[in-house]
């Protein structure tokens, strides 16, 4: 008898938990508390944690509405894939425009999304720098030093990581300049560089952990903000930042995912969220987390924090992200041609 | 000869000693086993707790009671609470069907039950993204009905169900096969109904094996990483289970937090293991086949 009661109790628990679990999250009504999901890439974790709190306070003061912003982080390409597969992001803040283009390709937002916000929808920029071990034992000064034999280079996989694609194009762009726009020589240069990579992690953060925690590699090709963060979090006595002679202007874009926001009735607050990135408060926060601000006044204020470096853009050298993706990262592109694992 | 003598002498005492190896061999074997146990099992567990408490009890408590950690703990427990009972019923039904009936395709069914063991958990997760994702087979239909499966709790439950499905069935099938169906047949002949046979004859015979399966299934359901990682969407405070939350904290350089939350998982595992030891101890003291040793 007792065991039959046990069965009954288990069935009740089962039904209750199933009921709770299946209950859909209530979409934001016009006045009640509202929840946003920001699907972002790896190195923005700390920045958006601070920004979300600031935005929530700002928005409640302005409209009286409580807003909580939930975060999801991962490699940029992987995150875009998740949104396409149904992860309900109200806003996406990814590493590069191509990944948001892919979401637009799935019909979740219009193809001209990048024109909807100022500065190519990229409220902050960044660049690619090197992180080396203290004292720079391999004397790494510029991109040339990364292709020397015996130098172990850490960079993530361009197939899944947005940061890695910036790294790849930065190296390619450097070689183009060096060899007078000779594509074949640039390809050989990047191929040589990839030979020095012992492990391709799936995201920028995983690569940082490989370099910093697992102590693998002599140099990490990294987002500028990620390099500063590693320096601050893990000790200036262990690492140094090396700024190459020339690098790429990385423009991580942001966008409201129209279809999801419309369905969850969050369009207005999602828009306000992205707009807040462009305000002085938002720009200040970005600068404090080592993203280069767009607003002139904030940029001037934080200028000493960011090393001067000559930057080229994807549009200048590669004809935009669609074309860069096509040539370099799609199946059969230059990356597939030159990268042979285990060699 | 010596072995034979030793064995026949052993049978006379209450605790038979069948070991005839020289002392040295025994010491080496025991030493090896203990060293392995220490290096690969005890040392890491001790490491988890020492790292977790490395910055003091206050930091540990703060990390463990963090709302996102609590949400992850709650989700993990909810998932286990749904998955284990369902797999309990499935495992019983499957083992019952396989051992008590003859039907075509029985071997296929046994193979299918093992399928989740053979498939990498990451692939198991991807299967469900391809099935229930927005661009998957059932995606448009689910969306029209307003149901979220992938990147929500139901997806996590389903993929965990898949990964843990074999545990209970696999535990029960050999047990029930060895026990045979004679006692059930006798009960039927004596006029017991199906339910009576199950509750009074079968269940008492298999209850320890069943419990053991439940414990294994539960341990895996709480610890599953790969499949859950694929379908979770990693939304903090909503779809992160404990193992996923550990990874996030680790990647954010929050090592104390990562190990503190790991220690929660380790504690859950310890509770499970203690429950398992209790079950084993009790089943040794109440052998299910004791009635046969009249």
């Amino acid at each position: 008898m007792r065991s039959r009661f046990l069965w009954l109790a288990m069935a009740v628990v089962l039904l209750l938990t199933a009921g709770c679990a299946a209950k859909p999250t209530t979409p934001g009504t016009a006045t009640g508390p509202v929840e946003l999901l920001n699907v972002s890439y790896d190195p923005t974790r700390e920045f958006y944690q601070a920004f979300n709190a600031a935005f929530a306070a700002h928005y409640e003061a302005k409209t009286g509405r409580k807003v909580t912003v939930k975060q999801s982080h991962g490699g940029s390409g992987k995150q875009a894939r998740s949104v396409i597969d149904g992860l309900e992001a109200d806003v996406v803040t990814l590493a590069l425009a191509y990944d948001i283009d892919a979401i637009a390709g799935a019909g979740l937002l219009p193809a001209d999304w990048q024109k909807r916000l100022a500065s190519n929808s990229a409220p902050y920029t960044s660049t690619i720098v090197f992180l080396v071990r203290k004292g720079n034992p391999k004397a790494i000064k510029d991109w040339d030093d990364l292709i020397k034999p015996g130098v172990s280079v850490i960079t993530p996989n361009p197939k899944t990581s947005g940061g890695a694609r910036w790294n790849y194009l930065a190296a390619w762009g450097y070689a183009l300049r060096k060899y007078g726009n000779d594509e074949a020589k640039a390809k050989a240069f990047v191929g040589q560089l990839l030979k020095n990579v012992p492990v391709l992690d799936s995201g920028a953060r995983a690569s940082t952990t490989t370099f910093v925690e697992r102590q693998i590699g002599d140099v990490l090709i990294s987002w500028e903000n990620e390099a500063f963060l590693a320096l601050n979090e893990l000790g200036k006595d262990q690492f140094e930042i090396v700024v190459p002679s020339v690098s790429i202007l990385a423009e991580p874009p942001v966008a409201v995912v129209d279809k999801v926001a419309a369905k969850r009735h969050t369009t207005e607050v999602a828009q306000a969220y992205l707009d807040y990135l462009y305000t002085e408060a938002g720009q200040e926060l970005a600068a404090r987390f080592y993203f280069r601000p767009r607003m002139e006044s904030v940029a001037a204020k934080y200028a000493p924090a960011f090393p001067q470096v000559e930057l080229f853009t994807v549009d200048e050298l590669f004809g935009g992200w669609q074309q860069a993706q096509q040539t370099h990262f799609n199946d059969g592109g230059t990356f597939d041609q030159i990268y042979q694992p285990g060699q | 000869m010596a072995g034979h003598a030793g064995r026949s002498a052993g049978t006379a005492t209450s605790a038979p000693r069948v070991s005839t190896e020289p002392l040295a061999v025994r010491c080496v074997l025991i030493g090896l086993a203990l060293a392995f146990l220490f290096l690969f099992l005890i040392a890491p567990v001790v490491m988890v707790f020492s790292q977790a408490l490395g910055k003091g009890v206050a930091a540990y408590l703060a990390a463990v009671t963090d709302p996102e950690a609590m949400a992850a703990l709650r989700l993990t427990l909810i998932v286990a609470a749904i998955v284990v009972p369902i797999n309990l019923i499935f495992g019983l039904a499957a083992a019952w069907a396989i051992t008590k009936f003859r039907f075509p395709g029985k071997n296929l069914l046994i193979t299918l039950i093992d399928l989740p063991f053979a498939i990498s958990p990451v692939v198991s997760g991807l299967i469900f993204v391809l099935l229930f994702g927005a661009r998957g087979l059932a995606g448009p239909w689910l969306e029209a009905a307003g149901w979220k499966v992938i990147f929500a709790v139901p997806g996590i439950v389903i993929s965990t169900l898949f990964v843990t499905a074999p545990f209970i069935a696999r535990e029960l099938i050999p047990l029930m096969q060895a026990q045979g169906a004679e006692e059930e047949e006798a009960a039927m002949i004596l006029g017991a109904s199906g339910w009576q046979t199950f509750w009074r004859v079968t269940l008492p015979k298999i209850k320890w094996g069943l419990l053991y399966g439940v414990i294994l299934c539960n341990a895996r359901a709480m610890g599953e990483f790969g499949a859950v990682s694929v379908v979770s969407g990693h939304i903090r405070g909503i779809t992160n289970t404990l193992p996923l939350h550990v990874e996030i904290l680790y990647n954010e350089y929050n090592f104390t937090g990562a190990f503190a939350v790991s220690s929660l998982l380790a504690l859950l595992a310890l509770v499970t293991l203690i429950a398992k030891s209790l079950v084993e101890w009790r089943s040794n003291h109440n052998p299910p086949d004791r009635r046969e040793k009249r």
Side-chain angles (χ1 to χ4, degrees):
Chain A
M1 275 305 104
R2 212 175 57 193
S3 47
R4 195 171 303 189
F5 175 74
L6 208 71
W7 278 100
L8 198 71
M10 255 193 284
V12 169
V13 169
L14 178 69
L15 285 176
L16 280 178
T17 43
C20 293
K23 193 173 63 186
T25 45
T26 43
T29 48
T31 50
V34 61
E35 197 177 279
L36 282 186
L37 175 59
N38 175 3
V39 171
S40 194
Y41 63 114
D42 259 332
T44 57
R45 300 163 188 248
E46 291 75 14
F47 166 57
Y48 276 113
Q49 207 171 4
F51 179 81
N52 290 347
F55 172 72
H58 160 81
Y59 194 75
E60 197 180 357
K62 203 175 124 200
T63 64
R65 245 182 122 182
K66 264 201 190 336
V67 53
T68 34
V69 186
K70 297 284 182 189
Q71 287 292 140
S72 168
H73 294 277
S76 186
K78 176 183 146 245
Q79 293 291 76
R81 184 75 243 165
S82 294
V83 173
I84 292 168
D85 281 333
L87 181 58
E88 289 193 323
D90 302 289
V91 298
V92 283
T93 54
L94 295 179
L96 43 86
Y98 181 81
D99 288 331
I100 302 186
D101 281 342
I103 300 172
L108 293 173
L109 70 167
D112 65 343
W113 62 270
Q114 203 164 9
K115 297 201 180 75
R116 295 192 297 189
L117 288 168
S119 317
N120 280 332
S121 287
Y124 41 80
T125 66
S126 189
T127 188
I128 302 301
V129 299
F130 307 150
L131 193 68
V132 298
R133 307 208 180 274
K134 187 72 189 175
N136 199 354
K138 298 266 166 136
I140 287 151
K141 293 271 175 283
D142 207 346
W143 292 98
D144 286 323
D145 299 314
L146 303 190
I147 64 165
K148 286 182 182 158
V151 172
S152 167
V153 181
I154 303 295
T155 179
N157 187 342
K159 292 277 183 182
T160 51
S161 158
R165 275 175 267 178
W166 290 110
N167 295 352
Y168 186 96
L169 293 183
W172 194 285
Y174 169 82
L176 277 183
R177 293 203 159 190
K178 186 177 166 176
Y179 300 116
N181 289 328
D182 186 332
E183 291 280 349
K185 282 188 174 159
K187 189 171 163 187
F189 181 90
V190 178
Q192 198 65 38
L193 196 161
L194 285 177
K195 283 214 172 74
N196 281 347
V197 178
V199 48
L200 285 176
D201 288 301
S202 69
R205 187 53 64 90
S207 274
T208 312
T209 316
T210 296
F211 182 75
V212 164
E213 283 299 307
R214 293 167 59 202
Q215 300 278 332
I216 295 175
D218 302 309
V219 52
L220 170 74
I221 312 180
S222 163
W223 289 101
E224 182 182 48
N225 65 296
E226 184 80 354
F228 273 114
L229 185 78
L231 213 61
N232 288 343
E233 289 280 328
L234 300 146
K236 293 189 169 84
D237 52 337
Q238 290 187 50
F239 306 101
E240 282 176 25
I241 290 176
V242 170
V243 182
S245 64
V246 54
S247 192
I248 197 162
L249 176 73
E251 298 180 292
V254 301
V256 173
V257 185
D258 297 38
K259 270 224 172 135
V260 176
K263 183 176 151 202
R264 295 177 16 113
H265 308 288
T266 53
T267 308
E268 182 259 340
V269 55
Q271 192 58 50
Y273 180 74
L274 294 188
D275 288 341
Y276 193 62
L277 282 168
Y278 287 89
T279 63
E280 194 175 343
Q283 294 279 297
E284 279 261 353
L285 268 176
R288 238 179 282 157
F289 287 89
Y290 305 103
F291 289 96
R292 297 181 175 221
R294 290 278 196 186
M295 191 183 268
E296 303 259 323
S297 57
V298 182
K301 184 176 162 194
Y302 284 89
F306 297 104
Q308 289 289 316
V309 51
E310 193 194 336
L311 299 172
F312 54 83
T313 68
V314 173
D315 291 347
E316 280 165 23
L317 283 192
F318 302 97
W321 263 111
Q322 282 295 338
Q323 207 186 321
Q325 178 79 24
Q326 191 83 31
T327 321
H328 297 287
F329 307 119
N330 278 355
D331 286 343
T334 64
F335 174 73
D336 283 344
Q337 293 162 29
I338 58 183
Y339 182 66
Q340 277 125 21
Q343 287 196 3
Chain B
M1 276 317 281
H4 181 73
R7 205 167 297 145
S8 49
T11 44
T13 63
S14 58
R17 285 183 59 169
V18 290
S19 166
T20 56
E21 284 83 5
L23 186 68
V25 173
R26 259 183 286 161
C27 283
V28 167
L29 282 178
I30 293 171
L32 268 178
L34 282 181
F36 185 86
L37 202 70
F38 182 80
L39 266 178
F40 294 102
L41 293 170
I42 297 175
V45 172
V46 171
M47 185 69 186
V48 165
F49 283 94
S50 72
Q51 283 277 343
L53 293 164
K55 286 188 182 166
V57 179
Y60 176 83
L61 286 179
V64 168
T65 53
D66 176 80
E68 281 177 2
M70 293 312 279
L73 175 65
R74 208 177 58 224
L75 178 60
T76 301
L77 292 175
I78 286 176
V79 169
I82 299 172
V83 164
V84 175
I86 293 179
N87 272 336
L88 177 73
I89 294 165
F90 164 76
L92 264 176
W96 186 275
I98 284 168
T99 55
K100 308 282 179 202
F101 305 118
R102 260 182 243 138
F103 56 92
K106 187 156 133 176
N107 280 323
L108 184 72
L109 182 60
I110 298 178
T111 313
L112 279 179
I113 289 173
D114 276 342
L115 196 65
F117 276 160
I119 296 181
S120 154
V122 175
V123 179
S124 324
L126 280 175
I127 293 169
F128 291 108
V129 173
L130 292 177
L131 268 178
F132 300 122
R135 323 218 90 196
L137 280 180
W141 181 80
L142 283 171
E143 196 177 320
W147 286 353
K148 273 207 63 63
V149 175
I150 298 299
F151 308 122
V153 178
I156 296 174
V157 170
I158 291 171
S159 54
T160 311
L161 260 178
F162 180 84
V163 171
T164 57
F167 281 94
I168 292 171
R170 264 286 148 211
E171 196 64 40
L172 288 183
I173 291 168
L175 180 68
M176 287 168 75
Q177 262 167 348
Q179 286 174 343
E182 289 90 353
E183 295 183 19
E184 279 82 356
E185 283 161 8
M188 293 290 195
I189 289 167
L190 291 174
S193 72
W195 275 115
Q196 278 174 324
T197 313
F198 175 74
W199 286 112
R200 306 238 171 117
V201 180
T202 308
L203 195 61
K205 281 205 301 184
I206 61 166
K207 65 181 168 187
W208 298 117
L210 185 66
L211 252 172
Y212 192 68
V214 164
I215 287 164
L216 283 180
C217 175
N218 182 53
R220 181 65 184 270
M222 292 194 298
E224 175 57 27
F225 179 85
V228 169
S229 170
V230 176
V231 298
S232 132
H234 303 268
I235 309 169
R236 286 144 196 245
I238 300 179
T239 63
N240 265 329
T241 60
L242 277 182
L244 300 185
H245 193 60
V246 170
E247 192 207 19
I248 284 183
L249 290 172
Y250 185 77
N251 277 345
E252 286 175 359
Y253 309 121
N254 185 352
F255 303 120
T256 309
F259 282 106
V261 176
S262 303
S263 78
L264 276 187
L265 259 182
L267 280 176
L268 286 177
L270 278 180
V271 169
T272 311
L273 280 180
I274 290 169
K276 192 198 88 156
S277 308
L278 274 176
V279 167
E280 277 177 342
W281 184 79
R282 292 213 41 191
S283 65
N284 283 339
H285 287 246
N286 306 295
D289 53 350
R290 64 189 186 280
R291 281 160 304 163
E292 284 156 24
K293 292 182 181 168
R294 273 163 294 206

